Amino acid sequence: MADTHRCYCVTKHNAPLELATREVATPKGREVLVKVTGAGVCHSDIHLWEGHYDLGGGKKLSLKDRGIKLPLTMGHEIAGEIIAAGPDAKGAKIGAKVVVYPWLGCGECPTCNRGDENLCLKGRSLGVFIDGGYSTHVIVPDAKYCIDLGKLDAAEAAPLACSGVTTFSALKKFGAKIKDEPVVIIGAGGLGRMAMTMLKAMGGKGAIVVDIDPVKRDGAKAAGALSVIDGGAADAAQQILTTTGGALLILDLVGAASTLNLAIASATRGTEIVVVGLFGGEVTIPVPFFPLRPLAIRGSYVGNLAELTELVDLAKAGKLELIPVNRRPLDEANAALMSLRDGKVNGRVVLVP
Ligand SMILES: [Zn+2]
Ligand SMILES: [Zn+2]
């Protein structure tokens, strides 16, 4: 009997994930077959499962309109072992332990050709548009998306593919300035803590962490923040200005109107603001701020293959400490997703078949 493949799929939005059992596929062309050893359950999976993003003010962005079709096996944070390769899968090593780059583009357009597949307009991300990691096996369309993990723990490395590369790519947008200037990090949740660890690994000067939650501020302080500031204080911007002498580098991991307004109010001459969070809302900015300060505001969305490779190399070199994860059996995929939705999860949950 051929090997069987088990996966937990979204067959209907807002309904429990369903177990499907199939024969394990044989990789064709440049494809490789990865036996999953860890698949992260990400907060964005909840939106996929629900079928929409909440834009605030009662507005919703439907995922069906973005071309997402059911049934879908979610899971874009995938680590595993290459167990088979198609005839044209160059460089695929059977038995290699890898993390999979999930933010796939069409592979043919100018954006993909310059290496920014994550920004391709015809994206086919794993676990979003094509079947992902809530599964025993995954077909990866090209061997080049498999990054060797060396001796790293697969379950701990899996989140590098999403929260890891997202914060890494955002911090890289500040360039070498992070070595001399502190980064003001707005949001001390999972991404915030990841950004602090990353900043250290990148040789950054340090982080000034802003959050409205005192528990998260204490956590950030204990984790080595240069200072922490209550983002809900009436004089929060003044406090940031006093601490930094005008914040030059600001990373907004929340992405709400209130946090972006706070970032703008804390800016000095030449400030760069990078927005990653997707909380939502709208801001009004006086246009002269752009040339006069001058002010730069840019967004950052996940990261590209080169960045994930660089990040995994940092971890393999022992420069980036991986964050402990909460392991759960694959068969608890639905329960794990529901506890994340209900806010009952601390840290990252990784499904282990
Ligand atoms: Zn994610
Ligand atoms: Zn493309």
Side-chain angles (χ1 to χ4, degrees), residues 40-45 76-77 102-103 159 161-163 166 302 348:
V41 180
C42 176
H43 200 268
S44 67
D45 291 338
H76 51 267
E77 302 177 354
W103 311 110
C162 182
S163 55
T166 297
V302 294
R348 308 291 292 190

Side-chain angles (χ1 to χ4, degrees), residues 9-18 48-51 69-72 74 334 337:
C9 319
V10 185
T11 49
K12 204 174 145 220
H13 291 298
N14 289 298
L17 300 178
E18 277 182 35
L48 272 176
W49 175 76
E50 288 175 336
K69 291 186 204 85
L70 301 184
L72 169 74
M74 301 194 296
N334 192 66
L337 186 69

Side-chain angles (χ1 to χ4, degrees), residues 47-66:
H47 301 296
L48 272 176
W49 175 76
E50 288 175 336
H52 61 259
Y53 280 96
D54 206 332
L55 296 177
K59 283 182 266 180
K60 282 177 181 178
L61 175 68
S62 156
L63 291 173
K64 204 171 153 200
D65 297 343
R66 283 191 61 200

Side-chain angles (χ1 to χ4, degrees), residues 105-113 116-117 119-123:
C106 69
E108 286 161 5
C109 71
T111 306
C112 286
N113 284 336
D116 290 330
E117 290 201 40
L119 307 182
C120 175
L121 293 172
K122 287 188 235 146

Side-chain angles (χ1 to χ4, degrees), residues 164-179 183 195 198-199 202 249 251 272 274 276 298-300 302-311 314:
V165 80
T166 297
T167 46
F168 187 60
S169 178
L171 286 168
K172 275 183 77 81
K173 292 190 167 64
F174 295 129
K177 289 180 187 149
I178 58 166
K179 298 198 191 305
V183 177
M198 204 80 67
L199 193 56
M202 294 163 79
L249 310 175
L251 177 59
E272 295 170 35
V274 174
V276 172
R298 65 184 295 192
S300 188
V302 294
N304 64 26
L305 177 59
E307 286 165 336
L308 182 58
T309 308
E310 193 183 336
L311 180 59
L314 272 179

Side-chain angles (χ1 to χ4, degrees), residues 154-219:
E156 287 185 356
L160 292 178
C162 182
S163 55
V165 80
T166 297
T167 46
F168 187 60
S169 178
L171 286 168
K172 275 183 77 81
K173 292 190 167 64
F174 295 129
K177 289 180 187 149
I178 58 166
K179 298 198 191 305
D180 306 310
E181 291 289 332
V183 177
V184 175
I185 296 175
I186 305 181
L191 274 191
R193 294 294 286 278
M194 180 73 97
M196 287 179 65
T197 315
M198 204 80 67
L199 193 56
K200 205 169 151 196
M202 294 163 79
K205 186 175 160 102
I208 292 164
V209 179
V210 181
D211 203 287
I212 54 174
D213 181 344
V215 177
K216 287 189 185 148
R217 288 201 299 277
D218 288 347

